[in-house]
Amino acid sequence: MIRTHLRRTWRRLPEFRLLALGLALELLWEVAQFPLYDVWHQNDWGYILYALAHCTLGDLLILLVAYEIVAAVRHDRVWYRHSPLAGAALFTLLGVLYTFGSEIYNVRIEQSWGYTELMPVLPVLGVGGVPFLQWLLIPPVLVWLLWLLGDMGRAPDAGH
C-alpha cells in the first residue's frame, strides 16, 4: 500500500516535473550550443558525450537548486501556481547569476573550457552570449510549462 502510494506520488512532485521537463530543454540546448565551445573540436567522441552529459546534469542541478531557493523565499513549493511572474523572475535571475559566475570561473580563471570564434561574447563581461541566453529563456519556459500542466500533476502534499 505504501509502495503504491509512493509510486503514484513521486511523479507528481513539482521537482520531478521540473527535472523531467528541464531534461529535454537543457539537453537540446547543450547539443545546439556545443559546437560553440572548444571541447567539441579538441576531443574524441567519448569525451564529447561525457561533457554533454556532465553539462546537462549540471544544468538540471542548477535548475533544482534555483527552484528550491525560490520555494524557500516564497514559502511555497508550487510557487509557479500562485506567483508565477515573481517566481519566474527570481528563478531566471538565479540561473543567470550562476551562469555568469561559472563562465567567468571556468573560461577565464580555471580555463576548463573555452569558446570558439563562433560564440558571441557579451561586451564588458566577456562571457558567452549563448549560455546567458539559455538561462534567460529556459527558466521562464519551464515555469510556463509547469503552470500549464496545473492541477494535472498536483501532489496532495506538494503545497505550502
Side-chain angles (χ1 to χ4, degrees), residues 39-137:
V39 69
W40 177 264
H41 305 282
Q42 297 175 351
N43 293 290
D44 62 26
W45 279 104
Y47 186 80
I48 290 171
L49 291 175
Y50 161 77
L52 188 59
H54 174 84
C55 292
T56 303
L57 292 174
D59 291 341
L60 293 177
L61 183 60
I62 297 164
L63 284 174
L64 186 59
V65 169
Y67 182 89
E68 294 300 339
I69 290 171
V70 176
V73 168
R74 308 290 308 169
H75 303 289
D76 184 1
R77 281 184 56 217
V78 290
W79 52 264
Y80 58 86
R81 282 193 201 127
H82 308 117
S83 54
L85 295 179
L90 180 56
F91 187 48
T92 302
L93 178 65
L94 291 168
V96 166
L97 290 175
Y98 179 85
T99 296
F100 277 135
S102 176
E103 292 289 316
I104 289 169
Y105 178 76
N106 287 294
V107 173
R108 289 192 194 159
I109 298 168
E110 193 65 28
Q111 297 180 348
S112 303
W113 64 74
Y115 305 135
T116 67
E117 63 280 351
L118 298 173
M119 173 69 82
V121 177
L122 297 177
V124 180
L125 298 170
V127 299
V130 175
F132 172 75
L133 193 59
Q134 172 184 7
W135 290 97
L136 269 183
L137 296 176

